[in-house]
Amino acid sequence: MNDPSIRHEIAHLARVELYTPNPDGTLWFFTELLGMYETHRAGQSVYLRGYEDPYQWSIKVTEAPRAGMGHAALRTSSAEALERRAASLKDSPLAGKWSDGDFGFGQTYEFASPDGHNLSLVWEVEKYQAPPELRSKILTRPSKRPLKGLPVKRIDHLNLMASDVTAVKETMERHLGFQTRERVVDGNVEIGAWMSTNLLGHEVACMRDTLGERGRFHHVAMYYGIPQHNIDAAEIFREYDIEIEAGPDKHGITQGSFLYVFEPGGNRIELFADAGILQFEPDYETRTWQMADIDTGLAIGGAHLPWETYFTYGTPSKRTLEEHKAEFATAGPPPPPTH
Amino acid sequence: MNDPSIRHEIAHLARVELYTPNPDGTLWFFTELLGMYETHRAGQSVYLRGYEDPYQWSIKVTEAPRAGMGHAALRTSSAEALERRAASLKDSPLAGKWSDGDFGFGQTYEFASPDGHNLSLVWEVEKYQAPPELRSKILTRPSKRPLKGLPVKRIDHLNLMASDVTAVKETMERHLGFQTRERVVDGNVEIGAWMSTNLLGHEVACMRDTLGERGRFHHVAMYYGIPQHNIDAAEIFREYDIEIEAGPDKHGITQGSFLYVFEPGGNRIELFADAGILQFEPDYETRTWQMADIDTGLAIGGAHLPWETYFTYGTPSKRTLEEHKAEFATAGPPPPPTH
Amino acid sequence: MNDPSIRHEIAHLARVELYTPNPDGTLWFFTELLGMYETHRAGQSVYLRGYEDPYQWSIKVTEAPRAGMGHAALRTSSAEALERRAASLKDSPLAGKWSDGDFGFGQTYEFASPDGHNLSLVWEVEKYQAPPELRSKILTRPSKRPLKGLPVKRIDHLNLMASDVTAVKETMERHLGFQTRERVVDGNVEIGAWMSTNLLGHEVACMRDTLGERGRFHHVAMYYGIPQHNIDAAEIFREYDIEIEAGPDKHGITQGSFLYVFEPGGNRIELFADAGILQFEPDYETRTWQMADIDTGLAIGGAHLPWETYFTYGTPSKRTLEEHKAEFATAGPPPPPTH
Amino acid sequence: MNDPSIRHEIAHLARVELYTPNPDGTLWFFTELLGMYETHRAGQSVYLRGYEDPYQWSIKVTEAPRAGMGHAALRTSSAEALERRAASLKDSPLAGKWSDGDFGFGQTYEFASPDGHNLSLVWEVEKYQAPPELRSKILTRPSKRPLKGLPVKRIDHLNLMASDVTAVKETMERHLGFQTRERVVDGNVEIGAWMSTNLLGHEVACMRDTLGERGRFHHVAMYYGIPQHNIDAAEIFREYDIEIEAGPDKHGITQGSFLYVFEPGGNRIELFADAGILQFEPDYETRTWQMADIDTGLAIGGAHLPWETYFTYGTPSKRTLEEHKAEFATAGPPPPPTH
């Protein structure tokens, strides 16, 4: 259980940087299929935002030899909260360092999760201001709904693979004030945790890396908010040769409507079609899923989350997605974790 | 290609009788979860209709030692059409015979498909007349939308397994005027056919029985007409312990939105959540799916139609559903058909 | 009641030509917002098709001084049916004449409704063949779902205003084999009729022109097939300054999900979001709505079909849409028809 | 702008008590149409909860001579927060008093808004524990989705009419830490305010009472979370004679999908079909709608919020709903407010 006094220090997930060996393909995916607006280019990076993302960008696509997550940044709820969270980390083995920020964001505190994921905290942001032709009549919408693809509204959440889920979870709780809303245990081993600092069922999740690798990225989710949109998105992905891994269906965990695909660079992207469970209770107690009930936790409908990718493939990967599937299609699940 | 002069002799699929060894469970499924109205009881049978079914019943639940399809009846487009179709069958090896009809339906011509499925043709029907408290304000709706479960509107289509798909298909075409809208071939062998006499993508389908058995029933589909309803239905089935086989997702074949479940008696039921492709062209040409493209044909999204049930389990079955799954889970698909 | 022998002579509504004084605006509406493909240009006309329209075009946009319907064409179910229907009309006071056809369509029989609407019958068509990059993996889909706007699948139905609804209705029944599925009467006067030759609740409707003008066009409907799409479309129309007249909501009549907008040229366009009631009964009897029940007939939800446009504005119009609204906003409904 | 240190003192809206002169009708509405569970009866009151409401009840139906809101209670984020908020109010002209609580809730601080609405603060609650037969497999769901009507998940938000919107708003901001997310101004007069202490676009709204009355109730909203559900709910309301006031449609303000009906006791109930805009920015600035843009604010589609009820009818009302409509249908809007 975390310290209530720090429960609101982190406001929300602000942005994720994705590495891609296929930058043209990745950009086409996000702009033509998911209707994201390009707001900036610099070096090998392109900055993108959904039409309801409030800042200059939520996704940064950076050319790199292998797919993966460059970093993910959380926005604090105040300048003071940023100082406090940085101080808390600085006093810990995780340490970290200040940097100057990036396009549209100010001073940033960078650190690594116990598993090695690059994470950041930031307070200063530049709010996106639409030019007249992109202004929406809906005042809470920073820009018009675009006319390309099936446009996502905003970034939703981040899912990390870890060799040690509990260590990542405890960092999020202790230093950043996250609450663990749901977790999955296999015997005594915690193999999944869904964490949040606000009403959302989760903004950061962590799942056990069944290959035992460290610091890999599972997926980032973009938000539609309309269940039907995942059905429509699946049809678009099918027509335009984007590989669908699983869905559309609804997780029991978080009650989120999911659709998982691989963008052309090899990263897994989730389309999140509704808000899922919103958690209002201030004295909510973590729900724990046992393996015996996991079937409902994974999918309420008949969807099958495939062992050969969903539970084994993360980025960076030593193999291409095709190689990975070929290798794991026949391998089958490993023996259960021992304790 | 069938004879255009008989293309409109069959109007539509009117009713299906299901056998069940668990009549209480099957009735609970259809009335409490699918919101069907009970209109009659006689002997070991209960008669049910969806709130937009135009006649006295579309589903008859009959207690029997094993699950299966009692019979299915098609309504002709006139009394004369019934005479002509009966005469056509009478002159064929399939033959058949007249019977007196059943509750709410008149004189019936009964015959067996080449694979042995019990099929009927009927013209005389009693239109359902709602009592005042069940009358809808919507004049094309024969009765109010009920307040139980997630109510289905009407029967949609029938799917038969057959040891010889082509023989069944040719009977439907030659004697009943069906058009084959889509088919699947594996080399030279026709392993699936979707047939219709009206705008629907199919009212009768036939799929190869991979176990080589004869005259088995694959499923009957009930119609929602609203894609979201299958998502909601899946949640209800999950909550109330109805086994979901696959879906919600959308077939490429027929473009129908599917959700397959097993009712408590062991028969497979499909919830059909939208109209799918409506076929307007009078000179439409049958589309043929090759095995290389079947992935899209089976599901546009990521759904997995499981070998151990979808392609092997039909009713009547020599094994219970649980036994069947246990046996086929490890067996894997057979070698491809040889020609 | 019409003659059963001609019930299937007309297969479906194939195409509508729209006149527009603002061709750039009208084209932008159909291609950028409704995602229609342009297939041809000739003279002052551009030819468009939805991604599931089977022929070369379903909408032809033609520059003209005033908005209105150029013509609408129905496809017969065979070459012989075309000959028979043309002969039937030729022997009537409506007469008509043969013409050479248009892009993608062959020999055409042109005639005018009793109210003066330009109607055509055609059999010969050129099926649309997608180039490789537009081919869909879904075999019943003539071309890929496009990535622009919220794409409509196909043309759905046509609605005509008439000074005398009964005369138009009787022409459709007697010469073309249409069935009247639903009608609205005000005392003894028939003020609306919804007609079909297939499962659809209507392909041609006719509503009384309350201004007593002749031969005007009320709307053409484009088909989505997904109820959520009308909600999404409304948002797009709002964002991109397309005037919404009414909806999204669902009519009791036809059970169709509607959204009415005015395209930039001034014609009313309906987005039809689901199939509505499909009518299977070969011996279906026309339902008649009385004015006392019309509230449900017009809308099942709370939508308001405005007198100042929906019941008075058709094209061609003596006034612009803005002038019309200004004039009729204060006038209020006329006294009921006397008989 | 409120004091950031109190921004998280209120967790969420917990419950609303409704007065009804027709308790049987009101209960039937909430249990048979909206699928709420009854959890308790005492005196003239019945306690109800949606299947995802976390506590013993969210709606209390109490027999009374006239419709209206008995009270509404907000839950604080801790016991200390309750003490602090009570102390803040005690020092103000609003004062208030402690009471012993109600079924399933502990000690309560009761006070009146500046306009006279009965409001309460509470911390101690009894979490709902489902009996085995009502337990859901979904661990974040306190009870199974029921099989009656179209079940709502939980209470969503409260809307109050006030003679002085600004005074109510300032109380919510100053004493309870609410943020005003959106407001509508007519010249210098604030005529609407939407307020929240969490991600929701609003949990409490206040709109100007155009009749100048004090302390009236506009509506309470129940949450579906699925846009399609409002379309289905409208059909159910139509079939079962529940008067629909407006919708389904989507507000520009809050981006919430609405459907307004009058329950049989005369109170207005909103069905809220999706989460609307979720507000993540800790430094969000209030958006202000001008009357010139209010059309989009009220509805993104074509819905019409009727003057004769939506802007004038609240409970308690001096007239029955029927009398009110009759009187205001012809009166038309008053002159705009002067300042």
Side-chain angles (χ1 to χ4, degrees), chain A residues 32-33 37 51 135-138 141 143-149 226 228-229 232 235-236 238-241, chain C residues 32-33 37 51 135-138 141 143-149 226 228-229 232 235-236 238-241:
Chain A
E32 301 306 307
L33 302 191
Y37 288 115
Y51 67 102
R135 261 175 224 155
S136 175
K137 292 175 182 173
I138 301 166
R141 179 171 288 177
S143 47
K144 267 186 185 174
R145 178 182 170 131
L147 293 174
K148 290 203 292 189
I226 307 284
Q228 175 67 38
H229 280 23
D232 300 337
E235 197 170 284
I236 289 174
R238 175 69 59 168
E239 291 266 41
Y240 291 89
D241 285 316
Chain C
E32 302 304 309
L33 302 191
Y37 289 114
Y51 67 102
R135 262 175 223 155
S136 175
K137 293 175 183 173
I138 301 166
R141 180 172 286 177
S143 47
K144 268 187 184 173
R145 179 182 169 132
L147 292 174
K148 289 203 291 187
I226 308 284
Q228 175 67 37
H229 280 22
D232 300 338
E235 198 170 286
I236 289 174
R238 175 68 62 168
E239 290 266 41
Y240 291 88
D241 285 318

Side-chain angles (χ1 to χ4, degrees), chain D residues 26-38 48 148:
Chain D
T26 301
L27 271 179
W28 169 83
F29 172 83
F30 280 112
T31 59
E32 301 305 307
L33 302 191
L34 302 194
M36 293 185 78
Y37 289 114
E38 178 182 327
L48 305 171
K148 289 204 292 189

Side-chain angles (χ1 to χ4, degrees), chain B residues 62-326:
Chain B
T62 298
E63 186 170 8
R66 286 202 298 173
M69 181 183 86
H71 78 279
L74 300 160
R75 190 173 182 217
T76 61
S77 55
S78 67
E80 296 74 26
L82 174 58
E83 293 297 331
R84 287 188 295 260
R85 293 310 99 220
S88 173
L89 287 159
K90 206 126 207 165
D91 287 348
S92 81
L94 297 170
K97 66 174 201 304
W98 289 100
S99 75
D100 280 351
D102 198 343
F103 168 66
F105 289 85
Q107 200 194 25
T108 302
Y109 190 78
E110 302 178 357
F111 66 104
S113 83
D115 226 64
H117 307 94
N118 293 327
L119 302 176
S120 301
L121 303 179
V122 65
W123 162 248
E124 288 172 3
V125 299
E126 187 184 323
K127 302 283 179 91
Y128 176 76
Q129 297 294 336
E133 69 277 14
L134 293 186
R135 261 174 223 155
S136 175
K137 295 175 181 172
I138 301 166
L139 300 189
T140 50
R141 179 172 287 177
S143 48
K144 267 186 184 175
R145 179 183 169 132
L147 293 174
K148 289 204 291 188
L150 188 65
V152 295
K153 290 189 168 179
R154 57 166 171 80
I155 197 170
D156 191 86
H157 68 259
L158 172 69
N159 188 309
L160 304 171
M161 295 175 95
S163 61
D164 181 344
V165 167
T166 304
V168 174
K169 183 195 79 166
E170 289 181 350
T171 295
M172 304 302 283
E173 290 178 344
R174 186 169 308 153
H175 296 291
L176 304 180
F178 276 79
Q179 268 197 316
T180 298
R181 296 285 162 76
E182 299 178 69
R183 57 188 206 120
V184 180
V185 296
D186 187 352
N188 294 323
V189 179
E190 202 161 48
I191 62 172
W194 286 260
M195 297 163 280
S196 179
T197 63
N198 54 41
L199 291 192
L200 295 192
H202 71 314
E203 283 207 306
V204 179
C206 186
M207 301 196 309
R208 193 167 196 265
D209 195 317
T210 54
L211 304 190
E213 295 187 26
R214 286 171 51 83
R216 296 203 295 171
F217 168 72
H218 195 267
H219 67 264
V220 61
M222 305 305 293
Y223 184 73
Y224 278 130
I226 308 285
Q228 175 67 37
H229 281 22
N230 269 4
I231 299 176
D232 300 337
E235 199 170 285
I236 288 174
F237 294 136
R238 174 69 61 169
E239 291 266 42
Y240 291 88
D241 284 318
I242 294 298
E243 183 176 342
I244 296 170
E245 183 184 37
D249 206 322
K250 192 170 170 174
H251 293 304
I253 297 167
T254 77
Q255 297 193 37
S257 294
F258 66 84
L259 172 62
Y260 293 103
V261 297
F262 298 104
E263 54 86 13
N267 293 296
R268 182 186 288 102
I269 306 294
E270 182 180 8
L271 286 310
F272 209 60
D274 64 20
I277 187 74
L278 297 175
Q279 198 46 261
F280 293 89
E281 298 166 71
D283 51 353
Y284 173 83
E285 290 177 21
T286 305
R287 295 332 187 232
T288 298
W289 295 81
Q290 305 295 330
M291 291 305 282
D293 304 317
I294 198 62
D295 193 35
T296 299
L298 296 177
I300 287 173
H304 173 66
L305 299 179
W307 165 257
E308 62 263 33
T309 54
Y310 194 80
F311 294 106
T312 55
Y313 178 79
T315 51
S317 168
K318 292 167 185 161
R319 308 157 193 83
T320 66
L321 179 55
E322 290 312 309
E323 290 165 357
H324 183 96
K325 284 194 292 184

Side-chain angles (χ1 to χ4, degrees), chain A residues 66-137:
Chain A
R66 287 202 296 173
M69 181 182 86
H71 78 280
L74 300 160
R75 191 175 180 214
T76 62
S77 57
S78 67
E80 296 73 26
L82 173 58
E83 293 298 331
R84 287 188 295 262
R85 294 310 100 220
S88 173
L89 287 159
K90 206 125 207 166
D91 287 347
S92 80
L94 297 170
K97 66 174 202 303
W98 290 99
S99 74
D100 279 350
D102 198 342
F103 169 67
F105 288 86
Q107 202 195 21
T108 302
Y109 190 78
E110 303 178 357
F111 67 104
S113 83
D115 225 65
H117 308 95
N118 293 326
L119 301 176
S120 301
L121 304 178
V122 66
W123 162 249
E124 289 172 2
V125 298
E126 187 183 322
K127 302 284 179 87
Y128 176 76
Q129 296 294 336
E133 70 277 13
L134 294 185
R135 261 175 224 155
S136 175
K137 292 175 182 173

Side-chain angles (χ1 to χ4, degrees), chain D residues 21 26 73 80 109-111 118 129 158 220 237 256 268 273 295 305 320 337:
Chain D
T26 301
E80 297 72 26
Y109 190 78
E110 303 178 357
F111 67 103
N118 292 327
Q129 297 293 338
L158 173 69
V220 61
F237 293 137
R268 182 187 289 104
D295 193 35
L305 299 178
T320 66

